[in-house]
Amino acid sequence: MAREATDVVVVGSGPNGLAAAVTAARAGLSVTLLEAQETLGGGSRTLDLQLAPGVVHDICSAVHPMALASPFLREFDLAARGVRLAVPEVSYAQPLDGGRAGLAWRDLDRTVEGLGPDGAAWRSLMAPLAQHSDAVVALAMGDKRSVPPELLSAGGMRAALAFAGGLLGQGTVAWDRGFTGQEAPALLTGVAAHAIAPVPGLAPAGTMLLLGALAHAGGWPIPVGGSQAIADALLADLVAHGGVVRTGVPVTTWRDLPRARAYLMDVTPRAAASIWGDRLPARVRRGLEAFRYGDAAAKVDFVLSEPVPWAAPGVSRAGTVHVGGSRADMALAEAEIAAGRHAEAPMVLASEPDRFDPSRRSAAGLRPLWTYAHVPAGSTRDVTEDVTRQIERFAPGFREVIVASRCVPAAEMAHHNANYIGGDIAAGAVSIWRMVARPRASWDPYALGIPGVSLCSSSTPPGPGVHGMSGWFAARRVLRSRFGVAAPSLAPA
């Protein structure tokens, strides 16, 4: 029998692929990582788009709420590896018409104070979650197949009950109960909109509760130098433990793969079905091919001569700005997207990383602005004007500070990341059922029915985000079942 060229082959260098590769390499296995693109990092890449000298752009994620909270990244210890995280004092902001805004400060008390009559309702919703954020993370970021030990304590059970109550309160038509003003409901809806799904809804509410709790528990960090810093730290550890990295290697069939005892696929379910074809059990292949993708985002990167001139005080102190207006405005926009129509005033997410990381400014004082706009899946529309008009609505004079811009329509998002089918940056529809049955209804959501072959992308639990958890879960299962070894320590040597 021919000897395998390597123990483990990982396909895809996104955060989950890197997490899987690092875990396997640290267990003493030989690992080869294959990436179709010429650059590494998947959803955590930072590139020079040639829009202005000295200005680089985060081509997918820019702000990383899970960088401080992910159990994988906590054990890996980014700070000990030289990754510096700037944590804005305002985690996120929601500008409203008339020069007003809701501000979610890292400090819960300050947020409550700023929300006036709605402060008590905000505290009632967020305080139990922020106080027991480890339990919330364990609940939301688990494999959806086991009971995390963090939930077995009294505090963990209180957090789980608060999470369930928040789901029912903010995920249903009762979501306005307890609020009298516009700021607090708009703040909550802006966070829920990260799911790119109709609101109110249980899955968007779950997204809101997790990210909202982290906003007060530790903040939403921005990696100094760009998101690439996270990918580079993982890559450095992989190479230090003997990993081999090959770029520019697309995998379209299993015949493209070197021989190995195990394969970890950081790809979409349909890509996995295409690559492995008839080698998959029929029921597995049907489940993968039936996987449903969600609505989309189109990306617009700007270069600015000055900061965005937000009208409302405090918005400039936020690492993330949800540009969508009132709760009613955002609900209408997301409903339009779900119906396959472009919203007249789309939901836009924006971040100015140079406000918290001056190294992102060029010598000439130019700076990047990162934005996404929600659009129907597969949209070919250049949304530059839509995004510009929406930001101008809350920042008069914005047009005058634009130096350059580039749009990547939703239909083209997969050109730089094959997992973003039709612009679906969540790699799968975000619904309560699909957060459990990702990619299909199975006790082991990572196994593909071929011994040693696993899916480890964000199309598996726990779902989207730069956290590495899907790769970590999948790799640990492979280590145990295929190699009979325990999960290794991730701590820096």
Side-chain angles (χ1 to χ4, degrees):
M1 179 177 177
R3 187 176 186 275
E4 287 84 0
T6 187
D7 291 320
V8 177
V9 168
V10 177
V11 178
S13 70
N16 287 308
L18 290 171
V22 163
T23 303
R26 280 181 158 260
L29 303 177
S30 58
V31 177
T32 297
L33 174 68
L34 305 179
E35 169 56 53
Q37 298 288 326
E38 296 296 337
T39 55
L40 296 157
S44 55
R45 281 178 291 167
T46 304
L47 299 176
D48 183 350
L49 301 179
Q50 304 295 309
L51 293 180
V55 179
V56 295
H57 302 263
D58 297 310
I59 66 169
C60 183
S61 303
V63 182
H64 297 275
M66 294 305 300
L68 292 173
S70 159
F72 170 78
L73 290 176
R74 278 208 310 264
E75 186 173 334
F76 186 74
D77 197 346
L78 290 170
R81 300 168 186 278
V83 178
R84 291 188 294 139
L85 299 173
V87 186
E89 59 181 341
V90 177
S91 296
Y92 57 94
Q94 186 78 39
L96 298 167
D97 293 317
R100 299 171 297 131
L103 304 177
W105 297 84
R106 226 170 48 234
D107 184 329
L108 177 62
D109 291 336
R110 194 167 182 181
T111 305
V112 168
E113 181 181 353
L115 292 175
D118 284 340
W122 187 277
R123 186 186 297 281
S124 176
L125 178 65
M126 287 296 174
L129 303 175
Q131 289 166 4
H132 303 286
S133 61
D134 283 354
V136 173
V137 168
L139 176 65
M141 302 304 295
D143 63 6
K144 308 297 191 288
R145 302 296 187 278
S146 56
V147 178
E150 292 87 348
L151 298 183
L152 301 180
S153 67
M157 287 187 281
R158 283 196 296 272
L161 290 173
F163 195 92
L167 278 181
L168 294 176
Q170 288 301 307
T172 66
V173 292
W175 65 340
D176 281 327
R177 185 173 299 170
F179 295 109
T180 59
Q182 283 198 344
E183 285 82 353
L187 276 171
L188 295 172
T189 310
V191 184
H194 281 249
I196 319 184
V199 290
L202 294 177
T207 300
M208 176 266 292
L209 294 170
L210 170 63
L211 298 182
L214 297 180
H216 297 307
W220 290 7
I222 296 174
V224 172
S227 297
Q228 189 72 47
I230 295 175
D232 286 349
L234 290 163
L235 284 163
D237 189 80
L238 172 62
V239 172
H241 287 83
V244 175
V245 179
R246 296 171 56 197
T247 59
V249 184
V251 175
T252 60
T253 170
W254 60 268
R255 294 178 180 86
D256 296 331
L257 296 166
R259 290 180 63 85
R261 291 181 63 193
Y263 298 90
L264 287 155
M265 313 293 293
D266 186 6
V267 301
T268 68
R270 290 185 197 169
S274 177
I275 290 167
W276 292 98
D278 291 339
R279 295 190 67 182
L280 293 168
R283 71 184 187 285
V284 175
R285 187 173 182 180
R286 286 195 301 270
L288 298 177
E289 291 175 339
F291 184 76
R292 190 167 70 86
Y293 296 93
D295 285 312
K299 183 77 157 48
V300 185
D301 291 293
F302 292 92
V303 175
L304 308 181
S305 60
E306 301 288 342
V308 177
W310 300 110
V315 175
S316 62
R317 302 168 81 168
T320 300
V321 183
H322 300 133
V323 190
S326 68
R327 168 168 273 185
D329 291 338
M330 290 180 282
L332 174 61
E334 298 298 87
E336 289 286 280
I337 300 307
R341 299 184 291 267
H342 288 91
E344 183 177 347
M347 183 69 207
V348 173
L349 279 69
S351 180
E352 298 176 79
D354 77 285
R355 289 190 185 268
F356 316 98
D357 174 13
S359 73
R360 298 293 297 273
R361 288 179 216 142
S362 74
L366 302 179
R367 61 201 74 206
L369 171 67
W370 173 100
T371 71
Y372 267 140
H374 293 177
V375 296
S379 166
T380 59
R381 180 167 176 156
D382 182 329
V383 297
T384 303
E385 175 56 28
D386 302 288
V387 171
T388 301
R389 185 175 60 250
Q390 188 74 318
I391 295 177
E392 178 86 15
R393 171 183 168 188
F394 303 103
F398 171 62
R399 291 182 187 275
E400 281 66 47
V401 303
I402 299 173
V403 173
S405 64
R406 185 198 78 155
C407 175
V408 181
E412 298 177 16
M413 291 288 282
H415 293 175
H416 72 74
N417 191 325
N419 287 2
Y420 296 163
I421 303 296
D424 176 9
I425 59 174
V430 178
S431 67
I432 287 294
W433 169 245
R434 275 301 177 190
M435 294 310 288
V436 175
R438 285 175 81 93
R440 60 193 182 90
S442 171
W443 181 250
D444 186 345
Y446 311 97
L448 289 177
I450 304 172
V453 180
S454 298
L455 195 66
C456 69
S457 69
S458 55
S459 297
T460 63
V466 176
H467 45 64
M469 295 298 293
S470 300
W472 196 34
F473 285 142
R476 292 195 301 179
R477 280 168 166 77
V478 166
L479 291 180
R480 182 175 61 249
S481 64
R482 194 70 171 163
F483 298 94
V485 298
S489 167
L490 301 172

